[in-house]
Amino acid sequence: MAKAIHAMFRVLDEVRSVSFYTEAFGLSVADRLESDDFTLVYLANDSADFEVELTINKDRVEPYDLGDGYGHMAFCVDDLDGEHARFEAAGFSPRKIVEFERGGALLARFFFVQDPDGYQIEVLQRHGRYA
């Protein structure tokens, strides 16, 4: 059986991106691999084996074109309202909290936030299948 191990994002500014993921999601640098042309930074925390890999191409100066295909990564948290308030206080400009219901039952509560390079991240209340 395959096991998901990381999601990779190309970023322009290593310090800015590491700072965002550290402050927003409590991730810290688990490993850093330096090459002549690029740097790979792996971020993780004790909540999961899954990592975020940041790829910094050293010759890149223009923002990446993220295209028009909608995609995102998601994190679940114990206190969605508290995290939303914390993100606002940190200046991350989270979008409003959404409640997704089906047949009168709450399926998910969440909000989205954008990282420094424009990637969308969903933050979900720990609930149901996201417990």
Side-chain angles (χ1 to χ4, degrees):
M1 183 61 77
K3 175 183 176 182
I5 57 172
H6 72 250
M8 185 278 283
F9 298 106
R10 294 187 187 282
V11 301
L12 286 179
D13 185 327
E14 177 182 346
V15 172
R16 181 180 71 166
S17 293
V18 169
S19 176
F20 171 80
Y21 284 98
T22 298
E23 188 174 349
F25 301 108
L27 301 178
S28 59
V29 176
D31 202 0
R32 187 174 190 284
L33 304 173
E34 190 76 31
S35 172
D36 290 340
D37 300 327
F38 60 89
T39 301
L40 303 179
V41 178
Y42 294 91
L43 305 173
N45 65 26
D46 293 337
S47 295
D49 292 337
F50 194 80
E51 295 180 326
V52 173
E53 175 190 320
L54 303 178
T55 298
I56 303 96
N57 290 311
K58 294 181 179 177
D59 62 349
R60 185 72 180 210
V61 293
E62 295 179 17
Y64 288 95
D65 179 2
L66 303 184
D68 61 2
Y70 182 76
H72 68 272
M73 180 170 57
F75 290 87
C76 64
V77 298
D78 290 324
D79 178 9
L80 188 72
D81 297 292
E83 289 299 293
H84 191 271
R86 187 177 70 80
F87 276 49
E88 282 184 327
F92 295 147
S93 303
R95 296 201 307 240
K96 68 178 182 141
I97 293 176
V98 174
E99 293 191 2
F100 181 54
E101 295 184 357
R102 178 147 306 160
L106 180 66
L107 294 180
R109 288 184 76 230
F110 59 90
F111 65 84
F112 277 87
V113 66
Q114 185 173 294
D115 87 348
D117 290 273
Y119 296 104
Q120 297 297 315
I121 303 168
E122 183 178 16
V123 182
L124 292 124
Q125 175 73 45
R126 195 175 310 277
H127 169 81
R129 69 180 299 221
Y130 308 115

